[in-house]
Amino acid sequence: MTTIRSYIIFIVSLIVFVSPSNAQGKNDHGRAVAGKYDGTTSIELMQTTLPLQLELQRVHNDSVIVKISRLVLPNGQVFSFTSKSLSVKPEKREGKPTYRLHVAFTYTYNNMPIRVQATATVNGKELEGEVKAVIMESMETRATYKGKKVT
């Protein structure tokens, strides 16, 4: 009977030790970058800088969704965006953990095909990113973003 109890206690402690909740801290890159970021975006085509809040929502240990709920352009048009799941890659810079995000996609806006590539780096509580868009295979524009984590 004691052998069975010891075996059960050993199995339960092993399950608790190896459970995903214990692995969340060190290898949960999605949780490390998740949150809301307040900052500004500079749009090359419009030659303007606008305030922008974006949110990184954790999907899995190594992936997030980028969500822009409301970006009001100078012409009054409101832009919203939710990405598909994108991977979070850890790096080391000056001994500190840094995370890189990358997404590429194509979509059609007002019957114009647009190819987009975006990269971002999260370093501590700061996020810096760049978006390159090619419109109708002929015109390229860029937008940059710098923000600080608020939650």
Side-chain angles (χ1 to χ4, degrees):
M1 189 69 151
T2 350
T3 312
I4 293 172
R5 275 192 208 147
S6 300
Y7 184 68
I8 290 172
I9 291 171
F10 175 73
I11 295 295
V12 168
S13 64
L14 190 61
I15 289 170
V16 169
F17 180 75
V18 181
S19 72
S21 63
N22 286 334
Q24 284 178 353
K26 191 172 185 178
N27 295 322
D28 196 346
H29 312 304
R31 187 177 307 274
V33 300
K36 290 185 180 180
Y37 294 82
D38 273 337
T40 57
T41 184
S42 298
I43 303 170
E44 182 182 84
L45 184 65
M46 297 179 175
Q47 297 180 348
T48 187
T49 300
L50 302 170
L52 173 64
Q53 183 181 75
L54 64 85
E55 183 176 3
L56 300 179
Q57 295 178 342
R58 179 186 178 272
V59 178
H60 195 337
N61 289 352
D62 60 352
S63 58
V64 293
I65 290 174
V66 178
K67 192 170 190 176
I68 298 171
S69 57
R70 185 174 168 84
L71 173 63
V72 181
L73 300 175
N75 63 2
Q77 186 177 13
V78 178
F79 175 79
S80 298
F81 173 77
T82 302
S83 75
K84 293 184 180 181
S85 179
L86 57 132
S87 67
V88 179
K89 306 270 189 211
E91 294 180 350
K92 288 274 187 178
R93 285 194 186 166
E94 300 169 8
K96 296 179 182 178
T98 301
Y99 302 94
R100 296 209 31 93
L101 296 93
H102 177 78
V103 64
F105 58 92
T106 304
Y107 74 103
T108 302
Y109 180 75
N110 287 343
N111 294 322
M112 295 183 295
I114 301 173
R115 190 179 58 217
V116 178
Q117 283 192 340
T119 57
T121 303
V122 178
N123 190 356
K125 293 191 178 272
E126 295 181 0
L127 186 145
E128 289 188 26
E130 180 180 63
V131 177
K132 295 179 189 175
V134 178
I135 304 163
M136 296 178 61
E137 298 298 327
S138 62
M139 183 172 55
E140 182 175 307
T141 187
R142 296 174 194 260
T144 57
Y145 176 79
K146 288 186 181 188
K148 292 191 183 239
K149 195 173 192 176
V150 292
T151 60

